[in-house]
Amino acid sequence: MNYTQHLEQAIQRLHDEGRYRTFIDIERHNGSFPHATWRKPDGSEQPVTVWCGNDYLGMGQHPVVLAAMHEALDAAGAGSGGTRNISGTTVYHKRLEAELADLHGKESALLFTSAYIANDATLSTLPKLFPGLIIYSDALNHASMIEGVRRNGGAKRIFRHNDLDDLRSRLEADDPAAPKLIAFESVYSMDGDFGPIEAICDLADEFGALTYVDEVHAVGMYGPRGAGVAERDRLMHRIDIINGTLAKAYGVMGGYIASTEKMCDAIRSYAPGFIFTTSLAPAVAAGAAASVRHLKTDQTLRDMHQEQARVLKLRLKGLGLPLIDHGSHIVPVIVGNPVHTKNISDMLLDDHGIYVQPINYPTVPRGTERLRFTPSPVHGPDEMDALVDALDVLWSHCALNRQELTG
């Protein structure tokens, strides 16, 4: 077999479909985000404004976070030195887990190297702990949740996105005595819509199911202390397992689950994705803990973030751009064609110094390709004016439809 030829063919298929992913090499500058430098393939440089980052609140450059990381780096060195089980549990990891447990009002929290690993490791381990477990998973759950459910070897049921009637019918069809878990998200990152947390909790109570919610696009940004949508809606006590990230609103790196002490202990003891992974660097854990601690009290930053999203959506609607608005901070603008989406993205970058990554299949269904903007408190009026004006010009230049999509 000509292995190289097969690789070339696989990559060429992506080019032919217009969904080959290109990495943009950018250099962030501490204190000036969302401004960055684009290092082009030819070696030249161009200043850009980042409009697609997940550092939603700019905490990646916050002095409180940086100071904590510097202190930990000087005190403990670079790496953790091992897995959590073998020399890799430090005071910084324990402090972070305590902050996270407190954030979500849970007995315990368990730290992972990413929220992807936290989802995958936890969901793939649960059937070992509850033999015969049936997992009911929302059709639009993140790839990490899908992978965890797929790999666990247990029974799974995929219910239509946010469709409570479909979920109920699937719960009713199964053995009432079988252990059950409903896995869903609080904010779905591609459309920016919310999961019906309270109604799902009601079904879980009715059918004796555990609840598992992914809050990665909500922690830090919703709720009076930034614990997420479940906190905002006063429902945290009804969620059995909460998954979150430290790499978005908290501006650092890592993921976690928060739950009962026994649940976290069991996952810690049985999940290969936790057991055999080197723990986060102490400086990363220290920075994340500082960020979580700070955002428990910084409501002003959350309010600014929501206001920025509201203003951007209002202005884009005024241009008649095909915007999906479910009331969250995520601003998806539908283009509907992978080639056009890539072209718009390229022109924004090349001609206007605006960086937004095209979102294509399989991240979103074919025909719904989009640009997804993530406004933040550090995007000022000038940056927003430049973005809105550029989109107005390019939409006309490419003769794209102007219409409003509502949730």
Side-chain angles (χ1 to χ4, degrees):
M1 174 180 284
N2 187 330
Y3 294 101
T4 300
Q5 183 180 26
H6 278 266
L7 294 174
E8 291 172 347
Q9 290 171 349
I11 294 170
Q12 188 58 46
R13 284 196 299 272
L14 297 177
H15 282 288
D16 293 342
E17 295 174 16
R19 58 188 187 94
Y20 178 77
R21 297 170 189 252
T22 302
F23 290 168
I24 306 300
D25 183 4
I26 64 168
E27 180 180 349
R28 287 168 56 119
H29 303 295
N30 179 29
S32 64
F33 187 77
H35 299 290
T37 298
W38 172 30
R39 300 194 180 281
K40 300 182 181 182
D42 63 6
S44 62
E45 299 178 358
Q46 178 180 329
V48 296
T49 302
V50 179
W51 273 98
C52 59
N54 284 335
D55 187 358
Y56 288 130
L57 302 178
M59 291 300 293
Q61 61 185 358
H62 197 286
V64 168
V65 175
L66 300 184
M69 296 186 74
H70 280 295
E71 181 181 347
L73 182 65
D74 291 339
S80 69
T83 66
R84 289 293 298 274
N85 188 48
I86 304 177
S87 80
T89 294
T90 71
V91 64
Y92 302 102
H93 298 87
K94 299 303 291 182
R95 286 174 184 167
L96 175 53
E97 287 175 336
E99 286 286 354
L100 294 168
D102 173 76
L103 175 68
H104 292 290
K106 299 298 184 186
E107 293 177 350
S108 188
L110 190 63
L111 183 63
F112 294 79
T113 51
S114 73
Y116 187 107
I117 298 299
N119 271 333
D120 185 10
T122 303
L123 289 169
S124 63
T125 298
L126 287 170
K128 301 175 186 176
L129 307 174
F130 306 106
L133 179 70
I134 303 170
I135 296 183
Y136 303 81
S137 179
D138 188 287
L140 292 189
N141 277 342
H142 189 267
S144 58
M145 301 175 76
I146 294 170
E147 186 66 12
V149 172
R150 184 189 67 81
R151 289 199 311 108
N152 68 29
K156 60 180 181 292
R157 311 283 186 260
I158 311 301
F159 62 93
R160 290 191 293 271
H161 177 54
N162 280 352
D163 190 328
L164 297 168
D165 292 334
D166 189 40
L167 174 56
R168 169 178 285 278
S169 68
R170 294 175 186 277
L171 288 162
E172 289 175 336
D174 285 318
D175 181 357
K180 302 174 178 66
L181 179 139
I182 304 171
F184 61 106
E185 300 184 34
S186 64
V187 180
Y188 289 85
S189 62
M190 287 301 121
D191 286 350
D193 56 332
F194 294 95
I197 300 177
E198 184 172 21
I200 288 179
C201 288
D202 289 342
L203 283 174
D205 289 347
E206 182 179 347
F207 290 92
L210 296 171
T211 50
Y212 183 108
V213 65
D214 178 311
E215 289 254 37
V216 297
H217 288 277
V219 289
M221 297 174 289
Y222 294 87
R225 297 204 309 158
V229 179
E231 183 194 31
R232 183 198 69 181
D233 296 345
R234 299 181 179 181
L235 296 168
M236 279 199 301
H237 63 288
R238 301 188 65 186
I239 302 297
D240 294 294
I241 305 173
I242 296 173
N243 169 278
T245 186
L246 303 164
K248 293 182 170 59
Y250 293 118
V252 191
M253 179 185 176
Y256 63 90
I257 61 167
S259 187
T260 63
E261 184 177 353
K262 283 184 169 56
M263 180 68 78
C264 289
D265 192 20
I267 297 298
R268 176 189 72 85
S269 302
Y270 281 87
F274 177 87
I275 296 170
F276 299 106
T277 300
T278 299
S279 63
L280 288 174
V284 171
S291 187
V292 172
R293 193 178 309 117
H294 176 85
L295 285 177
K296 287 177 180 178
T297 60
D298 196 343
Q299 185 60 38
T300 300
L301 204 55
R302 279 189 283 278
D303 291 342
M304 290 172 59
H305 180 237
Q306 291 294 323
E307 178 65 11
Q308 287 288 77
R310 187 192 67 80
V311 170
L312 179 59
K313 287 187 284 189
L314 186 65
R315 295 188 64 178
L316 295 181
K317 286 178 182 179
L319 297 178
L321 299 193
L323 167 70
I324 298 177
D325 183 8
H326 289 285
S328 75
H329 61 282
I330 294 169
V331 185
V333 177
I334 303 299
V335 180
N337 176 284
V339 175
H340 291 163
T341 307
K342 181 68 166 61
N343 288 342
I344 291 280
S345 173
D346 288 345
M347 287 186 284
L348 282 170
L349 186 63
D350 291 331
D351 302 334
H352 300 274
I354 293 171
Y355 171 41
V356 57
Q357 192 74 7
I359 308 292
N360 296 322
Y361 177 84
T363 306
V364 295
R366 297 181 193 274
T368 69
E369 293 82 5
R370 65 197 64 185
L371 301 172
R372 186 185 62 165
F373 300 94
T374 53
S376 76
V378 294
H379 286 91
D382 292 342
E383 287 84 5
M384 192 173 294
D385 287 345
L387 172 64
V388 172
D389 292 344
L391 285 172
D392 190 18
V393 169
L394 292 178
W395 229 257
S396 297
H397 175 77
C398 297
L400 296 175
N401 290 333
R402 292 180 185 255
Q403 60 185 359
E404 181 183 339
L405 297 180
T406 58

